[in-house]
């Protein structure tokens, strides 16, 4: 056997080892870094696999699993975000896009987000002007919150209730009840509060999916979404 042939065989073996054993770790690290940059997540774990490892270089993954903690999605902190996919084609380093281009096609793509009542409390505190000291609790029917509101040098106690729902790809907080302990004072500010607050819009995300279920539970809301049409 010539030296050239031996060198060629050795090079092929090294390439195969790199593609099957090393390349997945490189791709996983790149995806995790992109997710951390895009969502400011505290912790991201990524697992990808491909029978032909070199296909990872083209953006093809036989399977992918992602876990992210405390990720910023849209306007709300998602305490736990997971994604599972099969036969996925795309570029998950393009997570700064907002046109769905991070995933071109997939046989299966499922996402789950868990949002705590504390995260919704922070969102309400940020979005409701003149309201301070908001404390929220959630059960299966509603989110309830108390706080104080200031106007013209006066302060009044405030209670509100609302639900989380989906519409046209967007997930919203909808206020259903508001009470301010001062009738005249309340009339002056109530109009500033009622209105849906957008948490996030899956139609304007790097990975497109449709919401399948929004389930409110004790202390949290679970949102499940998936890609409904293969190849689109």
């Amino acid at each position: 056997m010539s030296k050239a042939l031996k060198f060629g065989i050795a090079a092929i073996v090294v390439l195969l080892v790199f593609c099957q054993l090393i390349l997945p770790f490189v791709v996983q690290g790149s995806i995790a870094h992109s997710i951390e940059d895009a969502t400011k997540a505290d912790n991201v774990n990524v697992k990808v696999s491909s029978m032909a490892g070199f296909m990872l270089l083209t953006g093809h993954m036989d399977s992918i699993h992602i876990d992210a903690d405390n990720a910023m999605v849209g306007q709300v902190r998602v305490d736990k975000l997971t994604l599972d996919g099969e036969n996925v084609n795309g570029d998950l380093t393009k997570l700064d896009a907002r046109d769905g281009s991070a995933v071109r096609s997939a046989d299966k793509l499922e996402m789950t987000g868990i949002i705590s009542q504390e995260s919704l409390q922070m969102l309400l505190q940020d979005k409701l002007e003149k309201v301070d000291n908001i404390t929220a609790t959630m059960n299966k029917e509603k989110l309830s919150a108390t706080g104080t509101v200031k106007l013209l040098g006066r302060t009044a106690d405030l209670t509100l209730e609302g639900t989380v729902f989906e519409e046209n790809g967007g997930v919203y907080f909808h206020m259903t009840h508001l009470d301010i302990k001062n009738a005249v004072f309340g009339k002056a500010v109530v109009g500033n509060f009622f209105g849906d607050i957008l948490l996030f819009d899956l139609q304007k995300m790097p990975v497109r999916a449709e919401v399948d279920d929004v389930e409110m539970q004790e202390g949290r809301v679970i949102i499940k979404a998936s890609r409904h049409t293969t190849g689109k």
Side-chain angles (χ1 to χ4, degrees):
M1 185 180 294
S2 68
K3 290 184 178 180
L5 182 57
K6 289 180 180 179
F7 178 81
I9 293 173
I12 292 173
V13 171
V14 170
L15 181 61
L16 289 174
V17 170
F18 174 80
C19 289
Q20 294 301 126
L21 300 181
I22 300 176
L23 185 58
F25 289 100
V26 175
V27 172
Q28 288 166 184
S30 177
I31 293 173
H33 182 69
S34 295
I35 294 173
E36 289 171 353
D37 284 347
T39 68
K40 310 304 178 186
D42 289 342
N43 183 50
V44 179
N45 293 305
V46 178
K47 178 67 175 178
V48 300
S49 68
S50 179
M51 288 296 292
F54 72 91
M55 291 295 291
L56 293 171
L57 295 173
T58 70
H60 174 82
M61 293 159 281
D62 290 343
S63 67
I64 180 170
H65 175 80
I66 298 173
D67 282 316
D69 298 326
N70 198 30
M72 194 71 185
V73 179
Q75 301 189 82
V76 68
R77 282 281 174 186
V78 178
D79 295 70
K80 189 71 173 181
L81 178 66
T82 64
L83 180 148
D84 287 288
E86 295 177 359
N87 195 26
V88 176
N89 291 285
D91 184 356
L92 291 181
T93 64
K94 292 184 177 179
L95 291 174
D96 56 347
R98 292 295 179 265
D99 57 1
S101 61
V103 173
R104 295 186 296 270
S105 65
D107 287 349
K108 170 189 172 183
L109 194 68
E110 297 177 345
M111 293 183 285
T112 300
I114 300 175
I115 304 173
S116 68
Q117 63 188 24
E118 289 81 11
S119 291
L120 290 172
Q121 175 180 303
M122 292 173 60
L123 177 70
L124 292 174
Q125 186 70 72
D126 181 59
K127 294 299 180 181
L128 297 181
E129 296 180 1
K130 304 183 181 69
V131 180
D132 296 314
N133 306 315
I134 292 180
T135 301
T137 59
M138 178 183 286
N139 58 32
K140 295 179 180 180
E141 283 78 36
K142 62 189 177 184
L143 178 141
S144 303
T146 61
T148 57
V149 59
K150 296 179 181 179
L151 185 67
L152 301 176
R154 301 179 64 185
T155 300
D157 293 329
L158 171 148
T159 61
L160 64 87
E161 296 176 353
T163 61
V164 179
F165 76 101
E166 179 272 338
E167 184 175 67
N168 298 325
V171 176
Y172 299 83
F173 174 78
H174 173 69
M175 196 178 303
T176 57
H177 176 77
L178 175 66
D179 179 54
I180 300 174
K181 292 184 178 179
N182 183 312
V184 175
F185 184 71
K187 290 179 181 178
V189 298
V190 71
N192 296 327
F193 293 149
F194 273 97
D196 297 334
I197 299 174
L198 177 66
L199 307 186
F200 57 82
D201 186 352
L202 284 177
Q203 299 305 307
K204 297 179 181 179
M205 291 289 174
V207 178
R208 289 278 173 82
E210 298 182 44
V211 177
D212 297 318
D213 184 53
V214 177
E215 181 183 359
M216 297 177 65
Q217 299 181 349
E218 295 290 334
R220 65 182 188 175
V221 57
I222 299 177
I223 300 166
K224 296 182 179 180
S226 65
R227 196 179 187 94
H228 289 186
T229 304
T230 301
K232 295 182 180 181

